[in-house]
Amino acid sequence: MLFKPTNWKGWGYFTADDYGMHFPSSPSPSDKPEFLYVSWGKVENIEGEKLYGRVYGVSIELNISQREVEQHFSQVYKANKLLDFKQMRGEYFLIAYPNNAFQKLPVVVNRLLEIKAASI
């Protein structure tokens, strides 16, 4: 299943399947991205929550290395640092997308949890 911003035609934030999640390395649809595969065993909490103050969105905790963070989430890492959004929760790297990126946040969260639960 592909999850992408509602106003972008050719770019997805990530995909999810029976094996895990796949995150592209580039936010530009014109670049050919490499994908970071994260198995469901390395995906912890997926939830809707407040991000950046009053903005709601989906957050995903990933057990990945700092090298993987720098290679695949460098733009997110810089933006979150500027917004003073905490990148780590315990040993998990936190990736988050604001609600305006998805049409129905609860549907996205529930669908990801269903895919993860069916795969474990």
Side-chain angles (χ1 to χ4, degrees):
M1 177 167 238
L2 172 69
F3 296 89
K4 66 179 185 168
T6 57
N7 58 346
W8 292 6
K9 299 288 185 220
W11 181 254
Y13 278 138
F14 52 84
T15 60
D17 59 26
D18 292 341
Y19 305 103
M21 299 182 75
H22 309 264
F23 297 89
S25 60
S26 172
S28 170
S30 63
D31 293 341
K32 184 174 180 170
E34 292 181 25
F35 283 82
L36 171 66
Y37 164 69
V38 181
S39 69
W40 286 118
K42 292 187 172 194
V43 177
E44 188 61 23
N45 293 325
I46 301 169
E47 58 188 41
E49 65 176 285
K50 274 190 181 179
L51 312 169
Y52 316 124
R54 295 178 296 214
V55 177
Y56 280 90
V58 62
S59 65
I60 305 166
E61 296 175 359
L62 304 173
N63 187 1
I64 57 176
S65 70
Q66 184 63 37
R67 183 174 153 266
E68 291 169 317
V69 170
E70 291 167 3
Q71 285 182 328
H72 294 276
F73 299 105
S74 63
Q75 297 300 327
V76 173
Y77 183 77
K78 290 174 190 173
N80 287 343
K81 194 170 186 175
L82 288 172
L83 294 167
D84 196 31
F85 184 73
K86 304 299 181 221
Q87 288 295 135
M88 298 296 293
R89 279 198 191 145
E91 62 189 60
Y92 294 95
F93 174 71
L94 184 65
I95 184 89
Y97 303 98
N99 187 32
N100 62 357
F102 303 102
Q103 291 180 357
K104 296 179 181 175
L105 182 61
V107 172
V108 170
V109 171
N110 289 336
R111 185 65 186 128
L112 285 171
L113 292 171
E114 287 170 3
I115 295 170
K116 180 181 177 185
S119 302
I120 295 180

